[in-house]
């Protein structure tokens, strides 16, 4: 079991590192083994160029940084599991708009490939100007007073505005 598990973690770590590199940061996964009860997965990250990687922690990383790590871990894991879809709830809460865009761009790229599982993103806010494509379906459900026609006119001429 440990040999198989170690191989899975190494595969995930490679993908995790590639994803972190893609967003301009650094990340790795480390499996610490020993007795079965002592197995531990360490998530190592750095969000600044000159800083060495540190273990992901609530004491040293912001909520947004922890959410970036969670999403990239999720993406690194998705090709190793057979689930046909994923549900992501409020992933962008606490995340700054730069990292939010980078994470959503990865989701859009995966959707374009047609190889990633279907992903349902539930969010109270969504960035505009995402790179939607023929493999992307977006449903926007708005709660409260809103003039849908005015919203459509505001976003007219963009790839993302289509009322169905």
């Amino acid at each position: 079991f440990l040999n198989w598990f170690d191989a899975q973690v190494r595969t995930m770590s490679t993908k995790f590192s590639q994803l972190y590199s893609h967003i301009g940061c650094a990340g790795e996964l480390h499996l610490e083994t020993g007795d079965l009860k002592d197995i531990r997965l360490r998530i190592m990250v750095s969000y600044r160029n000159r800083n060495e990687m540190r273990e992901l922690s609530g004491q040293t990383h912001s909520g947004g940084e922890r959410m970036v790590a969670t999403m990239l871990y999720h993406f690194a894991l998705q090709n190793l599991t057979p689930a046909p879809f994923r549900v992501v709830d409020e992933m962008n809460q606490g995340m700054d708009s730069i990292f939010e865009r980078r994470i959503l761009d990865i989701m859009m790229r995966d959707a374009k490939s047609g190889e990633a599982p279907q992903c349902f993103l539930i969010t109270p806010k969504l960035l505009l100007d995402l790179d939607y494509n023929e493999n992307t379906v977006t449903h926007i459900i708005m709660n409260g007073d809103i003039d849908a026609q005015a919203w459509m006119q505001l976003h007219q001429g963009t790839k993302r505005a289509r009322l169905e």
Side-chain angles (χ1 to χ4, degrees), residues 91-108:
M91 70 95 189
N92 48 358
Q93 295 303 299
M95 194 183 294
D96 69 31
S97 61
I98 294 169
F99 279 126
E100 181 181 3
R101 175 153 317 274
R102 290 174 183 170
I103 297 297
L104 289 169
D105 283 345
I106 291 170
M107 292 176 78
M108 294 295 119

Side-chain angles (χ1 to χ4, degrees), residues 8-159:
Q8 298 301 308
V9 170
R10 280 187 273 119
T11 299
M12 282 181 60
S13 185
T14 299
K15 180 70 173 175
F16 190 73
S17 295
Q18 290 168 348
L19 290 165
Y20 259 91
S21 179
H22 179 76
I23 66 167
C25 300
E28 294 176 354
L29 302 175
H30 295 277
L31 182 64
E32 293 181 357
T33 58
D35 290 337
L36 199 52
K37 64 178 174 43
D38 296 326
I39 293 175
R40 180 174 172 215
L41 182 65
R42 296 177 65 214
I43 299 174
M44 307 297 292
V45 295
S46 173
Y47 291 96
R48 285 145 199 89
N49 286 340
R50 288 175 252 162
N51 291 0
E52 65 181 62
M53 284 193 275
R54 299 174 74 179
E55 187 167 6
L56 188 66
S57 161
Q59 287 74 40
T60 58
H61 294 94
S62 71
E65 290 171 337
R66 292 191 316 266
M67 185 52 76
V68 168
T70 300
M71 290 305 299
L72 295 183
Y73 181 89
H74 166 87
F75 296 148
L77 177 65
Q78 73 184 5
N79 291 333
L80 298 176
T81 59
F85 67 90
R86 309 280 190 258
V87 178
V88 179
D89 185 21
E90 296 190 24
M91 70 95 189
N92 48 358
Q93 295 303 299
M95 194 183 294
D96 69 31
S97 61
I98 294 169
F99 279 126
E100 181 181 3
R101 175 153 317 274
R102 290 174 183 170
I103 297 297
L104 289 169
D105 283 345
I106 291 170
M107 292 176 78
M108 294 295 119
R109 183 191 69 199
D110 285 352
K112 279 183 184 179
S113 76
E115 296 174 12
Q118 186 175 11
C119 186
F120 296 90
L121 173 63
I122 301 168
T123 180
K125 64 178 183 138
L126 185 62
L127 292 175
L128 300 177
D129 299 321
L130 295 173
D131 189 18
Y132 295 106
N133 63 77
E134 63 277 356
N135 292 327
T136 306
V137 176
T138 303
H139 297 279
I140 299 175
I141 301 168
M142 299 178 183
N143 186 13
D145 295 332
I146 187 152
D147 181 347
Q149 293 303 322
W151 187 87
M152 292 301 295
Q153 287 175 350
L154 178 65
H155 301 291
Q156 192 170 20
T158 64
K159 291 189 273 186

